PDB file of all heavy atoms in Angstrom:
ATOM      1  N   ALA I  85     -17.096 -10.172  -6.320  1.00  0.00           N
ATOM      2  CA  ALA I  85     -18.541  -9.978  -6.444  1.00  0.00           C
ATOM      3  C   ALA I  85     -19.305 -10.615  -5.282  1.00  0.00           C
ATOM      4  O   ALA I  85     -20.342 -10.105  -4.857  1.00  0.00           O
ATOM      5  CB  ALA I  85     -19.030 -10.553  -7.768  1.00  0.00           C
ATOM      6  N   ALA I  86     -18.782 -11.726  -4.766  1.00  0.00           N
ATOM      7  CA  ALA I  86     -19.497 -12.470  -3.727  1.00  0.00           C
ATOM      8  C   ALA I  86     -19.667 -11.674  -2.442  1.00  0.00           C
ATOM      9  O   ALA I  86     -20.601 -11.940  -1.666  1.00  0.00           O
ATOM     10  CB  ALA I  86     -18.767 -13.785  -3.442  1.00  0.00           C
ATOM     11  N   VAL I  87     -18.782 -10.710  -2.184  1.00  0.00           N
ATOM     12  CA  VAL I  87     -18.847  -9.993  -0.906  1.00  0.00           C
ATOM     13  C   VAL I  87     -19.204  -8.513  -1.066  1.00  0.00           C
ATOM     14  O   VAL I  87     -19.219  -7.783  -0.081  1.00  0.00           O
ATOM     15  CB  VAL I  87     -17.512 -10.118  -0.131  1.00  0.00           C
ATOM     16  CG1 VAL I  87     -17.252 -11.575   0.228  1.00  0.00           C
ATOM     17  CG2 VAL I  87     -16.352  -9.529  -0.910  1.00  0.00           C
ATOM     18  N   LEU I  88     -19.497  -8.063  -2.285  1.00  0.00           N
ATOM     19  CA  LEU I  88     -19.770  -6.639  -2.470  1.00  0.00           C
ATOM     20  C   LEU I  88     -20.938  -6.165  -1.621  1.00  0.00           C
ATOM     21  O   LEU I  88     -20.914  -5.051  -1.067  1.00  0.00           O
ATOM     22  CB  LEU I  88     -20.023  -6.340  -3.956  1.00  0.00           C
ATOM     23  CG  LEU I  88     -20.261  -4.875  -4.316  1.00  0.00           C
ATOM     24  CD1 LEU I  88     -19.101  -3.998  -3.851  1.00  0.00           C
ATOM     25  CD2 LEU I  88     -20.485  -4.724  -5.818  1.00  0.00           C
ATOM     26  N   ASP I  89     -21.955  -6.988  -1.470  1.00  0.00           N
ATOM     27  CA  ASP I  89     -23.113  -6.597  -0.666  1.00  0.00           C
ATOM     28  C   ASP I  89     -22.791  -6.511   0.824  1.00  0.00           C
ATOM     29  O   ASP I  89     -23.561  -5.922   1.598  1.00  0.00           O
ATOM     30  CB  ASP I  89     -24.268  -7.580  -0.877  1.00  0.00           C
ATOM     31  CG  ASP I  89     -24.935  -7.412  -2.228  1.00  0.00           C
ATOM     32  OD1 ASP I  89     -24.701  -6.378  -2.879  1.00  0.00           O
ATOM     33  OD2 ASP I  89     -25.675  -8.324  -2.640  1.00  0.00           O
ATOM     34  N   MET I  90     -21.661  -7.060   1.232  1.00  0.00           N
ATOM     35  CA  MET I  90     -21.268  -7.030   2.635  1.00  0.00           C
ATOM     36  C   MET I  90     -20.519  -5.753   3.008  1.00  0.00           C
ATOM     37  O   MET I  90     -20.289  -5.483   4.183  1.00  0.00           O
ATOM     38  CB  MET I  90     -20.373  -8.239   2.962  1.00  0.00           C
ATOM     39  CG  MET I  90     -21.037  -9.590   2.803  1.00  0.00           C
ATOM     40  SD  MET I  90     -19.846 -10.951   3.014  1.00  0.00           S
ATOM     41  CE  MET I  90     -19.187 -10.586   4.645  1.00  0.00           C
ATOM     42  N   ILE I  91     -20.105  -4.986   2.001  1.00  0.00           N
ATOM     43  CA  ILE I  91     -19.281  -3.808   2.254  1.00  0.00           C
ATOM     44  C   ILE I  91     -20.147  -2.672   2.805  1.00  0.00           C
ATOM     45  O   ILE I  91     -21.148  -2.282   2.189  1.00  0.00           O
ATOM     46  CB  ILE I  91     -18.569  -3.346   0.968  1.00  0.00           C
ATOM     47  CG1 ILE I  91     -17.839  -4.522   0.292  1.00  0.00           C
ATOM     48  CG2 ILE I  91     -17.619  -2.200   1.270  1.00  0.00           C
ATOM     49  CD1 ILE I  91     -16.816  -5.191   1.146  1.00  0.00           C
ATOM     50  N   ASP I  92     -19.768  -2.126   3.978  1.00  0.00           N
ATOM     51  CA  ASP I  92     -20.527  -1.035   4.582  1.00  0.00           C
ATOM     52  C   ASP I  92     -19.663   0.197   4.806  1.00  0.00           C
ATOM     53  O   ASP I  92     -20.016   1.085   5.602  1.00  0.00           O
ATOM     54  CB  ASP I  92     -21.165  -1.488   5.897  1.00  0.00           C
ATOM     55  CG  ASP I  92     -20.145  -2.004   6.905  1.00  0.00           C
ATOM     56  OD1 ASP I  92     -18.926  -1.961   6.607  1.00  0.00           O
ATOM     57  OD2 ASP I  92     -20.561  -2.457   7.993  1.00  0.00           O
ATOM     58  N   THR I  93     -18.528   0.275   4.105  1.00  0.00           N
ATOM     59  CA  THR I  93     -17.635   1.423   4.192  1.00  0.00           C
ATOM     60  C   THR I  93     -17.695   2.222   2.890  1.00  0.00           C
ATOM     61  O   THR I  93     -18.077   1.686   1.845  1.00  0.00           O
ATOM     62  CB  THR I  93     -16.184   0.956   4.434  1.00  0.00           C
ATOM     63  OG1 THR I  93     -15.847  -0.044   3.456  1.00  0.00           O
ATOM     64  CG2 THR I  93     -16.018   0.366   5.825  1.00  0.00           C
ATOM     65  N   PRO I  94     -17.315   3.507   2.920  1.00  0.00           N
ATOM     66  CA  PRO I  94     -17.361   4.314   1.695  1.00  0.00           C
ATOM     67  C   PRO I  94     -16.464   3.798   0.580  1.00  0.00           C
ATOM     68  O   PRO I  94     -16.757   4.000  -0.602  1.00  0.00           O
ATOM     69  CB  PRO I  94     -16.903   5.700   2.163  1.00  0.00           C
ATOM     70  CG  PRO I  94     -17.133   5.721   3.633  1.00  0.00           C
ATOM     71  CD  PRO I  94     -16.946   4.306   4.100  1.00  0.00           C
ATOM     72  N   TYR I  95     -15.366   3.135   0.953  1.00  0.00           N
ATOM     73  CA  TYR I  95     -14.417   2.646  -0.035  1.00  0.00           C
ATOM     74  C   TYR I  95     -14.234   1.136   0.091  1.00  0.00           C
ATOM     75  O   TYR I  95     -14.352   0.568   1.184  1.00  0.00           O
ATOM     76  CB  TYR I  95     -13.040   3.301   0.137  1.00  0.00           C
ATOM     77  CG  TYR I  95     -13.048   4.816   0.055  1.00  0.00           C
ATOM     78  CD1 TYR I  95     -12.543   5.584   1.104  1.00  0.00           C
ATOM     79  CD2 TYR I  95     -13.559   5.470  -1.063  1.00  0.00           C
ATOM     80  CE1 TYR I  95     -12.540   6.966   1.041  1.00  0.00           C
ATOM     81  CE2 TYR I  95     -13.559   6.851  -1.138  1.00  0.00           C
ATOM     82  CZ  TYR I  95     -13.053   7.603  -0.090  1.00  0.00           C
ATOM     83  OH  TYR I  95     -13.064   8.971  -0.165  1.00  0.00           O
ATOM     84  N   VAL I  96     -13.927   0.517  -1.051  1.00  0.00           N
ATOM     85  CA  VAL I  96     -13.573  -0.900  -1.051  1.00  0.00           C
ATOM     86  C   VAL I  96     -12.268  -1.062  -1.825  1.00  0.00           C
ATOM     87  O   VAL I  96     -12.116  -0.528  -2.928  1.00  0.00           O
ATOM     88  CB  VAL I  96     -14.695  -1.778  -1.658  1.00  0.00           C
ATOM     89  CG1 VAL I  96     -15.079  -1.333  -3.067  1.00  0.00           C
ATOM     90  CG2 VAL I  96     -14.296  -3.252  -1.646  1.00  0.00           C
ATOM     91  N   ALA I  97     -11.324  -1.749  -1.224  1.00  0.00           N
ATOM     92  CA  ALA I  97     -10.026  -1.990  -1.861  1.00  0.00           C
ATOM     93  C   ALA I  97      -9.979  -3.409  -2.392  1.00  0.00           C
ATOM     94  O   ALA I  97     -10.441  -4.351  -1.738  1.00  0.00           O
ATOM     95  CB  ALA I  97      -8.891  -1.764  -0.866  1.00  0.00           C
ATOM     96  N   TRP I  98      -9.435  -3.556  -3.591  1.00  0.00           N
ATOM     97  CA  TRP I  98      -9.128  -4.864  -4.157  1.00  0.00           C
ATOM     98  C   TRP I  98      -7.639  -5.086  -3.976  1.00  0.00           C
ATOM     99  O   TRP I  98      -6.825  -4.221  -4.346  1.00  0.00           O
ATOM    100  CB  TRP I  98      -9.459  -4.916  -5.649  1.00  0.00           C
ATOM    101  CG  TRP I  98     -10.875  -4.672  -6.016  1.00  0.00           C
ATOM    102  CD1 TRP I  98     -11.923  -4.392  -5.186  1.00  0.00           C
ATOM    103  CD2 TRP I  98     -11.420  -4.669  -7.341  1.00  0.00           C
ATOM    104  NE1 TRP I  98     -13.081  -4.229  -5.897  1.00  0.00           N
ATOM    105  CE2 TRP I  98     -12.803  -4.387  -7.222  1.00  0.00           C
ATOM    106  CE3 TRP I  98     -10.886  -4.888  -8.606  1.00  0.00           C
ATOM    107  CZ2 TRP I  98     -13.655  -4.314  -8.337  1.00  0.00           C
ATOM    108  CZ3 TRP I  98     -11.723  -4.808  -9.717  1.00  0.00           C
ATOM    109  CH2 TRP I  98     -13.084  -4.538  -9.587  1.00  0.00           C
ATOM    110  N   LEU I  99      -7.266  -6.237  -3.431  1.00  0.00           N
ATOM    111  CA  LEU I  99      -5.843  -6.523  -3.202  1.00  0.00           C
ATOM    112  C   LEU I  99      -5.562  -7.986  -3.465  1.00  0.00           C
ATOM    113  O   LEU I  99      -6.204  -8.872  -2.889  1.00  0.00           O
ATOM    114  CB  LEU I  99      -5.456  -6.167  -1.761  1.00  0.00           C
ATOM    115  CG  LEU I  99      -3.963  -6.300  -1.427  1.00  0.00           C
ATOM    116  CD1 LEU I  99      -3.131  -5.293  -2.222  1.00  0.00           C
ATOM    117  CD2 LEU I  99      -3.730  -6.125   0.072  1.00  0.00           C
ATOM    118  N   ASN I 100      -4.605  -8.243  -4.351  1.00  0.00           N
ATOM    119  CA  ASN I 100      -4.195  -9.617  -4.617  1.00  0.00           C
ATOM    120  C   ASN I 100      -3.583 -10.243  -3.367  1.00  0.00           C
ATOM    121  O   ASN I 100      -2.914  -9.558  -2.586  1.00  0.00           O
ATOM    122  CB  ASN I 100      -3.164  -9.662  -5.745  1.00  0.00           C
ATOM    123  CG  ASN I 100      -3.785  -9.574  -7.119  1.00  0.00           C
ATOM    124  OD1 ASN I 100      -4.995  -9.433  -7.254  1.00  0.00           O
ATOM    125  ND2 ASN I 100      -2.960  -9.649  -8.140  1.00  0.00           N
ATOM    126  N   ASP I 101      -3.754 -11.550  -3.229  1.00  0.00           N
ATOM    127  CA  ASP I 101      -3.216 -12.223  -2.051  1.00  0.00           C
ATOM    128  C   ASP I 101      -1.703 -12.378  -2.097  1.00  0.00           C
ATOM    129  O   ASP I 101      -1.076 -12.723  -1.093  1.00  0.00           O
ATOM    130  CB  ASP I 101      -3.880 -13.591  -1.854  1.00  0.00           C
ATOM    131  CG  ASP I 101      -3.571 -14.580  -2.963  1.00  0.00           C
ATOM    132  OD1 ASP I 101      -3.067 -14.170  -4.029  1.00  0.00           O
ATOM    133  OD2 ASP I 101      -3.855 -15.792  -2.775  1.00  0.00           O
ATOM    134  N   ASP I 102      -1.082 -12.105  -3.257  1.00  0.00           N
ATOM    135  CA  ASP I 102       0.373 -12.163  -3.373  1.00  0.00           C
ATOM    136  C   ASP I 102       0.979 -10.770  -3.457  1.00  0.00           C
ATOM    137  O   ASP I 102       2.097 -10.593  -3.943  1.00  0.00           O
ATOM    138  CB  ASP I 102       0.794 -13.007  -4.578  1.00  0.00           C
ATOM    139  CG  ASP I 102       0.158 -12.551  -5.884  1.00  0.00           C
ATOM    140  OD1 ASP I 102      -0.585 -11.548  -5.869  1.00  0.00           O
ATOM    141  OD2 ASP I 102       0.397 -13.201  -6.919  1.00  0.00           O
ATOM    142  N   ALA I 103       0.240  -9.762  -2.958  1.00  0.00           N
ATOM    143  CA  ALA I 103       0.723  -8.390  -2.919  1.00  0.00           C
ATOM    144  C   ALA I 103       0.982  -7.979  -1.473  1.00  0.00           C
ATOM    145  O   ALA I 103       0.221  -8.340  -0.568  1.00  0.00           O
ATOM    146  CB  ALA I 103      -0.296  -7.442  -3.556  1.00  0.00           C
ATOM    147  N   VAL I 104       2.045  -7.224  -1.277  1.00  0.00           N
ATOM    148  CA  VAL I 104       2.422  -6.767   0.064  1.00  0.00           C
ATOM    149  C   VAL I 104       2.470  -5.239   0.057  1.00  0.00           C
ATOM    150  O   VAL I 104       3.397  -4.646  -0.500  1.00  0.00           O
ATOM    151  CB  VAL I 104       3.794  -7.343   0.481  1.00  0.00           C
ATOM    152  CG1 VAL I 104       4.176  -6.840   1.877  1.00  0.00           C
ATOM    153  CG2 VAL I 104       3.760  -8.873   0.450  1.00  0.00           C
ATOM    154  N   PRO I 105       1.476  -4.580   0.633  1.00  0.00           N
ATOM    155  CA  PRO I 105       1.433  -3.114   0.596  1.00  0.00           C
ATOM    156  C   PRO I 105       2.327  -2.456   1.647  1.00  0.00           C
ATOM    157  O   PRO I 105       2.521  -2.997   2.735  1.00  0.00           O
ATOM    158  CB  PRO I 105      -0.042  -2.813   0.877  1.00  0.00           C
ATOM    159  CG  PRO I 105      -0.506  -3.973   1.705  1.00  0.00           C
ATOM    160  CD  PRO I 105       0.264  -5.170   1.219  1.00  0.00           C
ATOM    161  N   ASP I 106       2.861  -1.286   1.283  1.00  0.00           N
ATOM    162  CA  ASP I 106       3.558  -0.461   2.263  1.00  0.00           C
ATOM    163  C   ASP I 106       2.581  -0.037   3.366  1.00  0.00           C
ATOM    164  O   ASP I 106       1.363   0.019   3.136  1.00  0.00           O
ATOM    165  CB  ASP I 106       4.110   0.802   1.590  1.00  0.00           C
ATOM    166  CG  ASP I 106       5.347   0.546   0.756  1.00  0.00           C
ATOM    167  OD1 ASP I 106       5.811  -0.615   0.709  1.00  0.00           O
ATOM    168  OD2 ASP I 106       5.850   1.514   0.137  1.00  0.00           O
ATOM    169  N   PRO I 107       3.091   0.312   4.555  1.00  0.00           N
ATOM    170  CA  PRO I 107       2.196   0.695   5.655  1.00  0.00           C
ATOM    171  C   PRO I 107       1.294   1.888   5.341  1.00  0.00           C
ATOM    172  O   PRO I 107       0.196   1.982   5.884  1.00  0.00           O
ATOM    173  CB  PRO I 107       3.165   1.018   6.795  1.00  0.00           C
ATOM    174  CG  PRO I 107       4.389   0.196   6.494  1.00  0.00           C
ATOM    175  CD  PRO I 107       4.498   0.180   5.003  1.00  0.00           C
ATOM    176  N   SER I 108       1.732   2.771   4.459  1.00  0.00           N
ATOM    177  CA  SER I 108       0.929   3.957   4.132  1.00  0.00           C
ATOM    178  C   SER I 108       0.083   3.769   2.884  1.00  0.00           C
ATOM    179  O   SER I 108      -0.564   4.722   2.429  1.00  0.00           O
ATOM    180  CB  SER I 108       1.855   5.167   3.934  1.00  0.00           C
ATOM    181  OG  SER I 108       2.745   4.938   2.850  1.00  0.00           O
ATOM    182  N   TRP I 109       0.070   2.547   2.320  1.00  0.00           N
ATOM    183  CA  TRP I 109      -0.629   2.282   1.050  1.00  0.00           C
ATOM    184  C   TRP I 109      -2.088   2.729   1.081  1.00  0.00           C
ATOM    185  O   TRP I 109      -2.532   3.524   0.249  1.00  0.00           O
ATOM    186  CB  TRP I 109      -0.542   0.784   0.733  1.00  0.00           C
ATOM    187  CG  TRP I 109      -1.446   0.320  -0.359  1.00  0.00           C
ATOM    188  CD1 TRP I 109      -1.317   0.570  -1.694  1.00  0.00           C
ATOM    189  CD2 TRP I 109      -2.633  -0.487  -0.217  1.00  0.00           C
ATOM    190  NE1 TRP I 109      -2.352  -0.028  -2.399  1.00  0.00           N
ATOM    191  CE2 TRP I 109      -3.159  -0.680  -1.516  1.00  0.00           C
ATOM    192  CE3 TRP I 109      -3.287  -1.065   0.865  1.00  0.00           C
ATOM    193  CZ2 TRP I 109      -4.318  -1.424  -1.754  1.00  0.00           C
ATOM    194  CZ3 TRP I 109      -4.441  -1.803   0.639  1.00  0.00           C
ATOM    195  CH2 TRP I 109      -4.944  -1.972  -0.653  1.00  0.00           C
ATOM    196  N   LEU I 110      -2.829   2.252   2.039  1.00  0.00           N
ATOM    197  CA  LEU I 110      -4.256   2.546   2.086  1.00  0.00           C
ATOM    198  C   LEU I 110      -4.505   4.023   2.389  1.00  0.00           C
ATOM    199  O   LEU I 110      -5.409   4.650   1.808  1.00  0.00           O
ATOM    200  CB  LEU I 110      -4.947   1.656   3.122  1.00  0.00           C
ATOM    201  CG  LEU I 110      -6.472   1.698   3.146  1.00  0.00           C
ATOM    202  CD1 LEU I 110      -7.069   1.359   1.784  1.00  0.00           C
ATOM    203  CD2 LEU I 110      -7.014   0.740   4.211  1.00  0.00           C
ATOM    204  N   THR I 111      -3.705   4.608   3.264  1.00  0.00           N
ATOM    205  CA  THR I 111      -3.846   6.025   3.577  1.00  0.00           C
ATOM    206  C   THR I 111      -3.660   6.887   2.337  1.00  0.00           C
ATOM    207  O   THR I 111      -4.416   7.842   2.105  1.00  0.00           O
ATOM    208  CB  THR I 111      -2.821   6.437   4.655  1.00  0.00           C
ATOM    209  OG1 THR I 111      -3.055   5.673   5.828  1.00  0.00           O
ATOM    210  CG2 THR I 111      -2.935   7.920   4.984  1.00  0.00           C
ATOM    211  N   GLU I 112      -2.653   6.556   1.531  1.00  0.00           N
ATOM    212  CA  GLU I 112      -2.393   7.334   0.317  1.00  0.00           C
ATOM    213  C   GLU I 112      -3.585   7.247  -0.645  1.00  0.00           C
ATOM    214  O   GLU I 112      -3.984   8.253  -1.252  1.00  0.00           O
ATOM    215  CB  GLU I 112      -1.121   6.822  -0.367  1.00  0.00           C
ATOM    216  CG  GLU I 112       0.157   7.022   0.425  1.00  0.00           C
ATOM    217  CD  GLU I 112       0.621   8.469   0.461  1.00  0.00           C
ATOM    218  OE1 GLU I 112      -0.005   9.326  -0.203  1.00  0.00           O
ATOM    219  OE2 GLU I 112       1.604   8.752   1.177  1.00  0.00           O
ATOM    220  N   LEU I 113      -4.148   6.079  -0.805  1.00  0.00           N
ATOM    221  CA  LEU I 113      -5.288   5.913  -1.708  1.00  0.00           C
ATOM    222  C   LEU I 113      -6.515   6.661  -1.179  1.00  0.00           C
ATOM    223  O   LEU I 113      -7.227   7.338  -1.939  1.00  0.00           O
ATOM    224  CB  LEU I 113      -5.605   4.433  -1.892  1.00  0.00           C
ATOM    225  CG  LEU I 113      -4.562   3.588  -2.639  1.00  0.00           C
ATOM    226  CD1 LEU I 113      -4.975   2.119  -2.630  1.00  0.00           C
ATOM    227  CD2 LEU I 113      -4.380   4.077  -4.070  1.00  0.00           C
ATOM    228  N   GLU I 114      -6.775   6.516   0.108  1.00  0.00           N
ATOM    229  CA  GLU I 114      -7.930   7.207   0.699  1.00  0.00           C
ATOM    230  C   GLU I 114      -7.785   8.724   0.569  1.00  0.00           C
ATOM    231  O   GLU I 114      -8.747   9.426   0.200  1.00  0.00           O
ATOM    232  CB  GLU I 114      -8.072   6.819   2.171  1.00  0.00           C
ATOM    233  CG  GLU I 114      -8.529   5.390   2.389  1.00  0.00           C
ATOM    234  CD  GLU I 114      -8.558   4.999   3.844  1.00  0.00           C
ATOM    235  OE1 GLU I 114      -7.922   5.700   4.673  1.00  0.00           O
ATOM    236  OE2 GLU I 114      -9.209   3.995   4.184  1.00  0.00           O
ATOM    237  N   ASN I 115      -6.609   9.240   0.879  1.00  0.00           N
ATOM    238  CA  ASN I 115      -6.391  10.684   0.788  1.00  0.00           C
ATOM    239  C   ASN I 115      -6.589  11.182  -0.640  1.00  0.00           C
ATOM    240  O   ASN I 115      -7.130  12.270  -0.870  1.00  0.00           O
ATOM    241  CB  ASN I 115      -4.990  11.046   1.284  1.00  0.00           C
ATOM    242  CG  ASN I 115      -4.844  10.906   2.784  1.00  0.00           C
ATOM    243  OD1 ASN I 115      -5.838  10.818   3.516  1.00  0.00           O
ATOM    244  ND2 ASN I 115      -3.610  10.887   3.260  1.00  0.00           N
ATOM    245  N   ALA I 116      -6.157  10.395  -1.612  1.00  0.00           N
ATOM    246  CA  ALA I 116      -6.288  10.793  -3.014  1.00  0.00           C
ATOM    247  C   ALA I 116      -7.754  10.885  -3.416  1.00  0.00           C
ATOM    248  O   ALA I 116      -8.168  11.848  -4.077  1.00  0.00           O
ATOM    249  CB  ALA I 116      -5.543   9.804  -3.901  1.00  0.00           C
ATOM    250  N   LEU I 117      -8.564   9.903  -3.035  1.00  0.00           N
ATOM    251  CA  LEU I 117      -9.982   9.942  -3.388  1.00  0.00           C
ATOM    252  C   LEU I 117     -10.735  11.005  -2.594  1.00  0.00           C
ATOM    253  O   LEU I 117     -11.678  11.615  -3.109  1.00  0.00           O
ATOM    254  CB  LEU I 117     -10.620   8.567  -3.182  1.00  0.00           C
ATOM    255  CG  LEU I 117     -10.215   7.488  -4.193  1.00  0.00           C
ATOM    256  CD1 LEU I 117     -10.986   6.186  -3.926  1.00  0.00           C
ATOM    257  CD2 LEU I 117     -10.451   7.944  -5.630  1.00  0.00           C
TER     258      LEU I 117
END
């Protein structure tokens, strides 16, 4: 919540600090939306 007003992109991703995404993770999510 503290940084939501700072977001200036169409999408915002939430990611735990103990999660390691595959290189195509964000692309797959963006393409789906």
Side-chain angles (χ1 to χ4, degrees):
V87 297
L88 183 56
D89 287 345
M90 297 173 56
I91 309 301
D92 57 3
T93 51
Y95 302 124
V96 56
W98 300 1
L99 185 65
N100 280 2
D101 65 346
D102 54 2
V104 179
D106 284 359
S108 62
W109 167 72
L110 189 56
T111 300
E112 295 287 356
L113 293 175
E114 289 176 343
N115 289 344
L117 288 183

